């Protein structure tokens, strides 16, 4: 079954509206899709409707950003995060539970704005989008709009990276895994050889990956994204072996954002894993 359990729409950092994203994936004959936008489920209803129209199986999903600042990990500091994928949860229940995460994010961005105001930047939370949550990307866009920088990434490098509130406003993995399980879903570590450091995705060595997986197992993580498109076959095979040894489930994702021609759109998964069948039926 042609499967993609990790893709993004313009409800987070993807290029296309959810329905257009599904149309693009459908062109390649995808049969099973999960929309996993960053920290939001706002696109799920539209995506599911288009999947139903095209006869595609849809699995509810979201990719949570989780702070590792207070976790006992040798490589983590106040500005370290990881991504946890959630699948198969009750969407209505998640609409309420995810508010905890969004409040934490808005509180953190408010602190970042206050710190920048104290440094002389003329910006205000009232100028941010009227969304359920904010991120430091929203702040960077605001700084560019106000003329403090010419483009987004220099804004992070030259302004936001110098603040103490740049990346400490996500709920930790213990609470995120709890929320996912309370909503009836399963939690997976996304791209296990990559973490978020100072708002940038960075690779980590095997020893850090194994340390992170062990820690998340102690919190009840259900699986890992062992089949991740951007990893070499030998890396995927290692993750599959580790998942089997640790009795963890395996997820399949390409992290498709719809912006690059060479992005892969699917894995051919046969037979369908038992955990997916259980969530679907």
């Amino acid at each position: 079954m042609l499967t993609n359990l990790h893709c993004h729409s313009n409800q987070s950092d993807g290029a296309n509206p959810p329905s257009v994203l599904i149309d693009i994936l459908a062109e390649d004959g995808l049969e099973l899709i999960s929309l996993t936008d960053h920290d939001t489920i706002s696109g799920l209803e539209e995506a599911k409707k288009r999947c139903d129209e095209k006869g595609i199986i849809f699995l509810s999903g979201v990719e949570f950003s989780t702070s590792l600042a207070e976790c006992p990990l040798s490589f983590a500091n106040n500005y370290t995060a990881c991504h946890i994928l959630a699948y198969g949860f009750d969407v209505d229940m998640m609409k309420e539970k995810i508010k905890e995460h969004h409040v934490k994010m808005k509180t953190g961005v408010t602190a970042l704005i206050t710190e920048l105001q104290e440094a002389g930047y003329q910006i205000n939370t009232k100028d941010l989008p009227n969304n359920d949550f904010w991120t430091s990307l929203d702040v960077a866009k605001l700084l560019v709009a106000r003329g403090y920088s010419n483009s987004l990434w220099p804004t992070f490098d030259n302004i936001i990276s110098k603040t103490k509130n740049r990346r400490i406003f996500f709920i930790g993995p213990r609470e995120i895994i709890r929320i996912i399980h309370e909503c009836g879903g399963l939690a997976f570590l996304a791209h296990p050889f990559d973490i978020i450091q100072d708002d940038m995705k960075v690779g980590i060595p095997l020893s850090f990956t194994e340390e992170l997986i062990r820690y998340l197992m102690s919190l009840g993580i259900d699986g890992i994204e062992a089949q991740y498109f951007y990893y070499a076959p030998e890396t995927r095979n290692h993750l599959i072996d580790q998942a089997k040894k640790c009795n963890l489930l395996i997820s399949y994702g390409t992290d498709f954002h719809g912006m690059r021609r060479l992005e892969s759109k699917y894995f051919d998964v046969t037979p369908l894993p038992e955990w997916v069948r259980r969530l679907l039926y």
Side-chain angles (χ1 to χ4, degrees):
M1 178 174 283
L2 300 187
T3 301
N4 191 345
L5 300 181
H6 188 167
C7 54
H8 297 278
S9 76
N10 65 354
Q11 297 302 296
S12 62
D13 58 347
N16 305 287
S19 57
V20 176
L21 172 70
I22 299 304
D23 289 343
I24 292 171
L25 296 174
E27 290 175 0
D28 278 7
L30 258 78
E31 302 166 270
L32 171 62
I33 294 172
S34 181
L35 175 62
T36 53
D37 279 323
H38 290 289
D39 303 300
T40 181
I41 59 173
S42 60
L44 294 188
E45 183 177 353
E46 179 182 339
K48 184 180 187 307
K49 180 180 178 182
R50 185 56 59 93
C51 281
D52 289 345
E53 293 170 353
K54 292 184 171 291
I56 298 170
I57 301 171
F58 184 77
L59 184 65
S60 59
V62 62
E63 185 174 15
F64 281 109
S65 304
T66 65
S67 173
L68 300 179
E70 299 179 1
C71 300
L73 295 165
S74 64
F75 58 87
N77 57 37
N78 280 345
Y79 311 108
T80 309
C82 73
H83 287 166
I84 292 179
L85 291 157
Y87 297 119
F89 48 83
D90 182 285
V91 175
D92 289 334
M93 188 178 297
M94 183 61 80
K95 285 179 182 178
E96 294 303 315
K97 294 289 185 180
I98 203 171
K99 291 177 181 178
E100 300 176 33
H101 191 53
H102 290 166
V103 167
K104 181 79 170 180
M105 294 175 75
K106 275 199 168 183
T107 300
V109 171
T110 299
L112 174 59
I113 290 283
T114 298
E115 184 178 355
L116 289 169
Q117 288 173 334
E118 292 171 351
Y121 294 94
Q122 301 298 309
I123 56 176
N124 196 291
T125 55
K126 291 185 291 186
D127 301 319
L128 292 172
N130 184 27
N131 295 336
D132 292 334
F133 67 96
W134 300 319
T135 70
S136 54
L137 180 60
D138 293 315
V139 179
K141 291 178 179 178
L142 181 56
L143 288 166
V144 171
R146 291 290 185 273
Y148 292 111
S149 182
N150 292 325
S151 59
L152 290 177
W153 296 121
T155 306
F156 281 108
D157 292 339
N158 301 325
I159 301 176
I160 293 177
S161 68
K162 302 181 187 304
T163 67
K164 66 178 181 180
N165 287 296
R166 62 187 183 269
R167 172 64 79 164
I168 56 172
F169 38 85
F170 297 130
I171 286 180
R174 183 185 302 276
E175 292 78 9
I176 289 296
I177 293 170
R178 172 185 59 79
I179 287 172
I180 295 168
H181 287 164
E182 287 180 353
C183 293
L186 296 176
F188 288 71
L189 172 62
H191 39 70
F193 278 95
D194 295 272
I195 59 171
I196 308 302
Q197 185 67 42
D198 293 325
D199 285 300
M200 298 296 292
K201 188 177 179 182
V202 298
I204 56 175
L206 174 61
S207 60
F208 288 0
T209 294
E210 292 178 340
E211 183 184 359
L212 177 58
I213 291 174
R214 286 195 302 270
Y215 176 67
L216 293 176
M217 286 177 63
S218 74
L219 304 182
I221 197 86
D222 299 293
I224 60 175
E225 191 179 30
Q227 291 281 29
Y228 182 64
F229 168 70
Y230 291 102
Y231 291 163
E234 57 268 25
T235 301
R236 297 182 204 165
N237 290 334
H238 174 81
L239 288 170
I240 291 169
D241 289 341
Q242 188 167 9
K244 290 177 179 178
K245 290 177 183 177
C246 297
N247 198 30
L248 292 168
L249 304 174
I250 293 171
S251 181
Y252 308 78
T254 74
D255 215 347
F256 183 70
H257 285 67
M259 292 178 285
R260 297 183 292 275
R261 288 180 57 199
L262 297 181
E263 282 187 307
S264 177
K265 299 176 185 175
Y266 62 83
F267 280 96
D268 192 350
V269 182
T270 305
L272 199 63
E274 174 60 29
W275 70 267
V276 176
R277 291 200 297 270
R278 190 167 67 248
L279 288 176
L280 291 174
Y281 307 110

